[in-house]
Amino acid sequence: MSEYPIDPLPLRSLPKLRPGPWWPRLKPWLMAALGVVLAIAIGVALHRLLHEVRYDDVMAAVQATPGSNIALAIAATAASYFALSGYDASSLSYARAKVARSTVLLTSFVAYALSNTIGLGPLTGGAVRTRMYAAAGLEPHQIAQVIVFNAAAFGLGIAAFGALGLLWGAHEVAPLLHVRPLALRALGAALLIALAAFLWLCARRRALHLGAQRTLRLPQAGLALRQLVISAVELAASAAALWFLLPADRIALPTFVIFYAIAITAGIASHVPGGVGVFEAVMLLAGGTHVPTGAMLGALVLNRGIYYVLPLVVASALIVVYELRSGVAAPIGRAAVRLSPRLMAALTLVAGGWLLVSGVTPLTEDAKEILAALNVPLPLIEASHFLGSVAGLGLVLVARGLLHRLDAAWWAALGLSIVALVLALPKGFALHEAALLSAIAVLLLISRRQFDRPSTLFSQRLEPEWLLALAGVVAACIWVLFFAYQEVGYTNRLWWEFELDAQAPRSLRALLGVVLAGLAFGLWQLLRPPAGAVALPSDEEIERAAAIVRAGPASEGWYALTGDKHLLFSPSGRSVLMFGKHGRSWIGLFGPFGDPREWSDLVWRFVELASAHGGRPAFYQVRPAALPLYLDCGLHAFKLGEYAHIELRGFSLKGARRANLRSGMNRGEREGLGFEVLPPAAVGALLPELRAVSDAWLERQKTREKGFSVGSFNARYLAQLPVAVVRREGRIIAFANLLVTAATQEASVDLMRFVPDAPPGTMDFLFAKVVLHLQAEGYQRFGLGMSPMAGMTTRRHAPRWQRVGRLLFDYGERFYGFRGLHSFKDKFEPVWEARYLAVPGGVTPLFVLLDLAALIGGGIKGVVSK
């Protein structure tokens, strides 16, 4: 592993790593196919393990579990999650970062509650840590080290725990694996020796060099030993949470812990969400000779609720507490509250699965007695059972919309949870089910503000993984139904039996409704017409974008009018995002403009649109304040350089660093130069004269028009904006178009061109006059543009992206005037602000930068020539 989150490869190796254009579309289907094969294998294994087990035996084992044992399991769960916070404390120490203890506890608990339930810990829990620790002030490379350390520490802890377990109970495990106990003890000893060697390296060396470009910084020996102790405590506590739920004559705890470590490892390696099925299959296989299979399965069912669902509910409740507190204005509070969609999506997914399983399993005897005693009408029971199952499918479907913060998904989830809550009573007084649904409804109401994307629920196209996951859920329900009704003889008459005791027919009808609804939705998703090809904007769309930009504060939005970029509008039409396409790269410029409340939705829609077309979504020149918009979409931030702007309040030409401007303006006045700002209405008549100046400048520079992030001589573009001109004896010899808006906050210039015979200092004269004019107009800031690769750190532990950027800045002057451009802007004593590229990780940034260069240069020819 590398201690740096980014490890760029040499350009000459890119063609070898770049897959064909078919790969982006084929990859989701291959991963989904792998998931299907794994699910089938798990199903076959569980079927063989449970062929002698009866559903009634499992429910009897659940009901026979003493309340004191359940309380002990809850206490062990609390101890396990508290110990898990030690992972984060150790990782922060490794990253040399200080974070408040309360923030560490909250972050760790929420991250593990989410990743334990959903799986894919580095992604789900990693996303939580990225948001929370970034709000706490950590740098991106420190957060990356925290995430990597957590994953590595867990692996080492499992290895140490398993090694000790093999030495302790090899005679118990050997028959299951069909090997000799001595071989297992030798394996355990080898693992412990390897761990000892690792600790020795930690004590003797600071880093390991894993090749010319990779370095692994080792933790201190004391930190490594402390983390191993934390891992042992956490694994013992989580194993005890399940062990307490077993019957009184249960397996000895040390032996049980061995099996538990093996099952946990298998569940994580499978990448199945929460290890569902894989963990249970290993535990059933391992404990079969010690604990009755029915009792073990009952304990596993309870453990899923106590160790996985309960912490997820508590974590969601903790987050919404921040929603109710006045301290949400603090960065940590805001970051915590913004996690609500992830947690609510996970809870809704769990509740949907619960309802589906409930719909295909029989009522308990107590429930039947209550329904009979209250004389609940049979049609109401049948309808609640059927509709409750369909509502479960609906919750599974809207979970994705909640994850993307769709307001329509919020309304649907709230409505479905309330409907399912009401139906839980006539369905069979499912109190635990009703409690979960009540919690979801309350938490949704409290976190309403987080679901602010005004999009339609089904306008998003579901990825193949989601469709196959939906099919997997339905298949699992079918398996559960046949497991629950093993003794039933299935005939055509079952469909038409309507009695309180006719539970198999009721479950069959509910399952049929779920299958038909799921099949209809899946076919609609697969057969719906694809999104149309993206076209360049029409004249009407450019006018709409101009109105949005004109009313806003950001002057750089005017680049939307050049006509060489595509435009994506919000559903309301109050916001717009401009982007370019080259190859497979979809690159948004600057970000959304317009109503800030719609920006998140626009960013999501753009990412989804690019992904639906097999493209690489990216955003160029992103401001620091807007980074959370892109991090929420799973993009990574890479620093590009720094943007300079002059604070116009108090600006003057006095001072040694502005002597050139002062001298140029005085010289221009002696040369008889005149300055004038043409309003947009007057620009059109002078376009031929301005074009002559522009063509002469291009010819002298031996260059061609650029595009995308810089303007070009475009009649429509120039006629929308004021143009500053310099005249000599009535002839225009230089001009610059001014990017200004009605908000009078930011202003800048784009095209600055002059004729070859202009007097020396003409552009200094023009620049000084423009700045003073904008100052007089009341503008607050004047943008000087970005200085690429500026501000890159040279620290030893800086990300490699920044270290390479610093080398280009220092030694790449012959290829591009990095340092010269920065020095020119720095003489105006500007304020520097970082700008970023938001893009998926891996080697994708390099491909995006190549496509970006082609967009700016007007194609590959423009990249290799001026």
PDB file of all heavy atoms in Angstrom, residues 307-326:
ATOM      1  N   TYR A 307     -26.634  -6.417  16.461  1.00  0.00           N
ATOM      2  CA  TYR A 307     -25.302  -5.886  16.150  1.00  0.00           C
ATOM      3  C   TYR A 307     -25.293  -5.007  14.900  1.00  0.00           C
ATOM      4  O   TYR A 307     -24.389  -4.189  14.725  1.00  0.00           O
ATOM      5  CB  TYR A 307     -24.307  -7.043  15.962  1.00  0.00           C
ATOM      6  CG  TYR A 307     -22.861  -6.586  15.976  1.00  0.00           C
ATOM      7  CD1 TYR A 307     -22.186  -6.402  17.189  1.00  0.00           C
ATOM      8  CD2 TYR A 307     -22.173  -6.314  14.796  1.00  0.00           C
ATOM      9  CE1 TYR A 307     -20.866  -5.966  17.208  1.00  0.00           C
ATOM     10  CE2 TYR A 307     -20.862  -5.875  14.807  1.00  0.00           C
ATOM     11  CZ  TYR A 307     -20.217  -5.707  16.019  1.00  0.00           C
ATOM     12  OH  TYR A 307     -18.914  -5.262  16.043  1.00  0.00           O
ATOM     13  N   TYR A 308     -26.287  -5.149  14.034  1.00  0.00           N
ATOM     14  CA  TYR A 308     -26.271  -4.416  12.773  1.00  0.00           C
ATOM     15  C   TYR A 308     -27.381  -3.369  12.697  1.00  0.00           C
ATOM     16  O   TYR A 308     -27.108  -2.185  12.464  1.00  0.00           O
ATOM     17  CB  TYR A 308     -26.389  -5.396  11.593  1.00  0.00           C
ATOM     18  CG  TYR A 308     -25.202  -6.321  11.473  1.00  0.00           C
ATOM     19  CD1 TYR A 308     -25.153  -7.530  12.163  1.00  0.00           C
ATOM     20  CD2 TYR A 308     -24.122  -5.993  10.671  1.00  0.00           C
ATOM     21  CE1 TYR A 308     -24.057  -8.379  12.062  1.00  0.00           C
ATOM     22  CE2 TYR A 308     -23.020  -6.831  10.560  1.00  0.00           C
ATOM     23  CZ  TYR A 308     -22.994  -8.029  11.267  1.00  0.00           C
ATOM     24  OH  TYR A 308     -21.905  -8.857  11.166  1.00  0.00           O
ATOM     25  N   VAL A 309     -28.634  -3.801  12.872  1.00  0.00           N
ATOM     26  CA  VAL A 309     -29.747  -2.868  12.690  1.00  0.00           C
ATOM     27  C   VAL A 309     -29.820  -1.861  13.833  1.00  0.00           C
ATOM     28  O   VAL A 309     -29.984  -0.657  13.609  1.00  0.00           O
ATOM     29  CB  VAL A 309     -31.078  -3.632  12.548  1.00  0.00           C
ATOM     30  CG1 VAL A 309     -32.246  -2.651  12.387  1.00  0.00           C
ATOM     31  CG2 VAL A 309     -31.023  -4.583  11.357  1.00  0.00           C
ATOM     32  N   LEU A 310     -29.705  -2.324  15.079  1.00  0.00           N
ATOM     33  CA  LEU A 310     -29.821  -1.417  16.221  1.00  0.00           C
ATOM     34  C   LEU A 310     -28.781  -0.298  16.189  1.00  0.00           C
ATOM     35  O   LEU A 310     -29.133   0.883  16.373  1.00  0.00           O
ATOM     36  CB  LEU A 310     -29.725  -2.221  17.523  1.00  0.00           C
ATOM     37  CG  LEU A 310     -29.857  -1.414  18.820  1.00  0.00           C
ATOM     38  CD1 LEU A 310     -31.199  -0.698  18.872  1.00  0.00           C
ATOM     39  CD2 LEU A 310     -29.687  -2.328  20.043  1.00  0.00           C
ATOM     40  N   PRO A 311     -27.482  -0.577  15.957  1.00  0.00           N
ATOM     41  CA  PRO A 311     -26.521   0.539  15.861  1.00  0.00           C
ATOM     42  C   PRO A 311     -26.825   1.495  14.716  1.00  0.00           C
ATOM     43  O   PRO A 311     -26.579   2.700  14.827  1.00  0.00           O
ATOM     44  CB  PRO A 311     -25.176  -0.175  15.645  1.00  0.00           C
ATOM     45  CG  PRO A 311     -25.368  -1.520  16.241  1.00  0.00           C
ATOM     46  CD  PRO A 311     -26.795  -1.878  15.958  1.00  0.00           C
ATOM     47  N   LEU A 312     -27.373   0.972  13.607  1.00  0.00           N
ATOM     48  CA  LEU A 312     -27.711   1.847  12.493  1.00  0.00           C
ATOM     49  C   LEU A 312     -28.825   2.818  12.882  1.00  0.00           C
ATOM     50  O   LEU A 312     -28.781   4.008  12.537  1.00  0.00           O
ATOM     51  CB  LEU A 312     -28.133   1.012  11.286  1.00  0.00           C
ATOM     52  CG  LEU A 312     -28.394   1.764   9.981  1.00  0.00           C
ATOM     53  CD1 LEU A 312     -27.131   2.483   9.506  1.00  0.00           C
ATOM     54  CD2 LEU A 312     -28.892   0.805   8.912  1.00  0.00           C
ATOM     55  N   VAL A 313     -29.814   2.318  13.634  1.00  0.00           N
ATOM     56  CA  VAL A 313     -30.895   3.191  14.105  1.00  0.00           C
ATOM     57  C   VAL A 313     -30.346   4.231  15.079  1.00  0.00           C
ATOM     58  O   VAL A 313     -30.671   5.420  15.002  1.00  0.00           O
ATOM     59  CB  VAL A 313     -32.009   2.358  14.767  1.00  0.00           C
ATOM     60  CG1 VAL A 313     -33.064   3.270  15.386  1.00  0.00           C
ATOM     61  CG2 VAL A 313     -32.654   1.423  13.749  1.00  0.00           C
ATOM     62  N   VAL A 314     -29.492   3.791  16.003  1.00  0.00           N
ATOM     63  CA  VAL A 314     -28.917   4.713  16.987  1.00  0.00           C
ATOM     64  C   VAL A 314     -28.044   5.761  16.294  1.00  0.00           C
ATOM     65  O   VAL A 314     -28.084   6.953  16.633  1.00  0.00           O
ATOM     66  CB  VAL A 314     -28.108   3.934  18.043  1.00  0.00           C
ATOM     67  CG1 VAL A 314     -27.400   4.893  18.991  1.00  0.00           C
ATOM     68  CG2 VAL A 314     -29.020   3.004  18.831  1.00  0.00           C
ATOM     69  N   ALA A 315     -27.244   5.321  15.308  1.00  0.00           N
ATOM     70  CA  ALA A 315     -26.393   6.272  14.588  1.00  0.00           C
ATOM     71  C   ALA A 315     -27.239   7.308  13.853  1.00  0.00           C
ATOM     72  O   ALA A 315     -26.918   8.501  13.850  1.00  0.00           O
ATOM     73  CB  ALA A 315     -25.498   5.524  13.603  1.00  0.00           C
ATOM     74  N   SER A 316     -28.329   6.868  13.235  1.00  0.00           N
ATOM     75  CA  SER A 316     -29.217   7.805  12.553  1.00  0.00           C
ATOM     76  C   SER A 316     -29.823   8.795  13.541  1.00  0.00           C
ATOM     77  O   SER A 316     -29.937   9.993  13.256  1.00  0.00           O
ATOM     78  CB  SER A 316     -30.317   7.040  11.820  1.00  0.00           C
ATOM     79  OG  SER A 316     -29.767   6.129  10.894  1.00  0.00           O
ATOM     80  N   ALA A 317     -30.210   8.290  14.718  1.00  0.00           N
ATOM     81  CA  ALA A 317     -30.778   9.168  15.738  1.00  0.00           C
ATOM     82  C   ALA A 317     -29.747  10.192  16.217  1.00  0.00           C
ATOM     83  O   ALA A 317     -30.069  11.365  16.441  1.00  0.00           O
ATOM     84  CB  ALA A 317     -31.299   8.342  16.905  1.00  0.00           C
ATOM     85  N   LEU A 318     -28.495   9.758  16.376  1.00  0.00           N
ATOM     86  CA  LEU A 318     -27.452  10.689  16.793  1.00  0.00           C
ATOM     87  C   LEU A 318     -27.256  11.809  15.773  1.00  0.00           C
ATOM     88  O   LEU A 318     -27.075  12.985  16.122  1.00  0.00           O
ATOM     89  CB  LEU A 318     -26.130   9.941  16.996  1.00  0.00           C
ATOM     90  CG  LEU A 318     -25.984   9.121  18.267  1.00  0.00           C
ATOM     91  CD1 LEU A 318     -24.669   8.349  18.251  1.00  0.00           C
ATOM     92  CD2 LEU A 318     -26.041  10.013  19.498  1.00  0.00           C
ATOM     93  N   ILE A 319     -27.308  11.437  14.502  1.00  0.00           N
ATOM     94  CA  ILE A 319     -27.102  12.442  13.461  1.00  0.00           C
ATOM     95  C   ILE A 319     -28.239  13.460  13.457  1.00  0.00           C
ATOM     96  O   ILE A 319     -28.011  14.673  13.334  1.00  0.00           O
ATOM     97  CB  ILE A 319     -26.970  11.760  12.092  1.00  0.00           C
ATOM     98  CG1 ILE A 319     -25.657  10.977  12.014  1.00  0.00           C
ATOM     99  CG2 ILE A 319     -27.025  12.779  10.969  1.00  0.00           C
ATOM    100  CD1 ILE A 319     -24.423  11.811  12.221  1.00  0.00           C
ATOM    101  N   VAL A 320     -29.475  12.989  13.595  1.00  0.00           N
ATOM    102  CA  VAL A 320     -30.580  13.950  13.553  1.00  0.00           C
ATOM    103  C   VAL A 320     -30.609  14.815  14.804  1.00  0.00           C
ATOM    104  O   VAL A 320     -31.229  15.889  14.797  1.00  0.00           O
ATOM    105  CB  VAL A 320     -31.940  13.230  13.375  1.00  0.00           C
ATOM    106  CG1 VAL A 320     -31.980  12.462  12.084  1.00  0.00           C
ATOM    107  CG2 VAL A 320     -32.263  12.324  14.549  1.00  0.00           C
ATOM    108  N   VAL A 321     -29.945  14.374  15.891  1.00  0.00           N
ATOM    109  CA  VAL A 321     -29.824  15.251  17.054  1.00  0.00           C
ATOM    110  C   VAL A 321     -29.092  16.533  16.657  1.00  0.00           C
ATOM    111  O   VAL A 321     -29.442  17.627  17.097  1.00  0.00           O
ATOM    112  CB  VAL A 321     -29.088  14.516  18.200  1.00  0.00           C
ATOM    113  CG1 VAL A 321     -28.634  15.503  19.268  1.00  0.00           C
ATOM    114  CG2 VAL A 321     -29.993  13.475  18.819  1.00  0.00           C
ATOM    115  N   TYR A 322     -28.069  16.390  15.787  1.00  0.00           N
ATOM    116  CA  TYR A 322     -27.368  17.569  15.298  1.00  0.00           C
ATOM    117  C   TYR A 322     -28.306  18.478  14.504  1.00  0.00           C
ATOM    118  O   TYR A 322     -28.139  19.688  14.457  1.00  0.00           O
ATOM    119  CB  TYR A 322     -26.185  17.146  14.422  1.00  0.00           C
ATOM    120  CG  TYR A 322     -24.955  16.798  15.208  1.00  0.00           C
ATOM    121  CD1 TYR A 322     -24.773  15.512  15.703  1.00  0.00           C
ATOM    122  CD2 TYR A 322     -23.974  17.743  15.458  1.00  0.00           C
ATOM    123  CE1 TYR A 322     -23.641  15.169  16.428  1.00  0.00           C
ATOM    124  CE2 TYR A 322     -22.846  17.418  16.182  1.00  0.00           C
ATOM    125  CZ  TYR A 322     -22.682  16.127  16.665  1.00  0.00           C
ATOM    126  OH  TYR A 322     -21.567  15.804  17.383  1.00  0.00           O
ATOM    127  N   GLU A 323     -29.286  17.847  13.831  1.00  0.00           N
ATOM    128  CA  GLU A 323     -30.257  18.632  13.061  1.00  0.00           C
ATOM    129  C   GLU A 323     -31.085  19.521  13.981  1.00  0.00           C
ATOM    130  O   GLU A 323     -31.527  20.600  13.589  1.00  0.00           O
ATOM    131  CB  GLU A 323     -31.165  17.668  12.297  1.00  0.00           C
ATOM    132  CG  GLU A 323     -32.084  18.327  11.298  1.00  0.00           C
ATOM    133  CD  GLU A 323     -31.439  18.487   9.943  1.00  0.00           C
ATOM    134  OE1 GLU A 323     -30.346  17.939   9.745  1.00  0.00           O
ATOM    135  OE2 GLU A 323     -32.019  19.161   9.104  1.00  0.00           O
ATOM    136  N   LEU A 324     -31.319  19.055  15.212  1.00  0.00           N
ATOM    137  CA  LEU A 324     -32.163  19.788  16.140  1.00  0.00           C
ATOM    138  C   LEU A 324     -31.382  20.775  16.998  1.00  0.00           C
ATOM    139  O   LEU A 324     -31.976  21.633  17.645  1.00  0.00           O
ATOM    140  CB  LEU A 324     -32.901  18.801  17.051  1.00  0.00           C
ATOM    141  CG  LEU A 324     -33.820  17.793  16.336  1.00  0.00           C
ATOM    142  CD1 LEU A 324     -34.388  16.798  17.339  1.00  0.00           C
ATOM    143  CD2 LEU A 324     -34.942  18.519  15.620  1.00  0.00           C
ATOM    144  N   ARG A 325     -30.055  20.620  17.011  1.00  0.00           N
ATOM    145  CA  ARG A 325     -29.245  21.480  17.859  1.00  0.00           C
ATOM    146  C   ARG A 325     -28.913  22.773  17.147  1.00  0.00           C
ATOM    147  O   ARG A 325     -28.841  22.856  15.934  1.00  0.00           O
ATOM    148  CB  ARG A 325     -27.945  20.771  18.248  1.00  0.00           C
ATOM    149  CG  ARG A 325     -28.146  19.623  19.236  1.00  0.00           C
ATOM    150  CD  ARG A 325     -26.846  18.888  19.482  1.00  0.00           C
ATOM    151  NE  ARG A 325     -25.769  19.801  19.859  1.00  0.00           N
ATOM    152  CZ  ARG A 325     -24.511  19.399  20.057  1.00  0.00           C
ATOM    153  NH1 ARG A 325     -24.189  18.133  19.916  1.00  0.00           N
ATOM    154  NH2 ARG A 325     -23.586  20.272  20.405  1.00  0.00           N
ATOM    155  N   SER A 326     -28.684  23.785  17.936  1.00  0.00           N
ATOM    156  CA  SER A 326     -28.320  25.083  17.355  1.00  0.00           C
ATOM    157  C   SER A 326     -26.889  25.106  16.870  1.00  0.00           C
ATOM    158  O   SER A 326     -26.485  26.012  16.153  1.00  0.00           O
ATOM    159  CB  SER A 326     -28.508  26.189  18.396  1.00  0.00           C
ATOM    160  OG  SER A 326     -27.703  25.927  19.548  1.00  0.00           O
TER     161      SER A 326
END
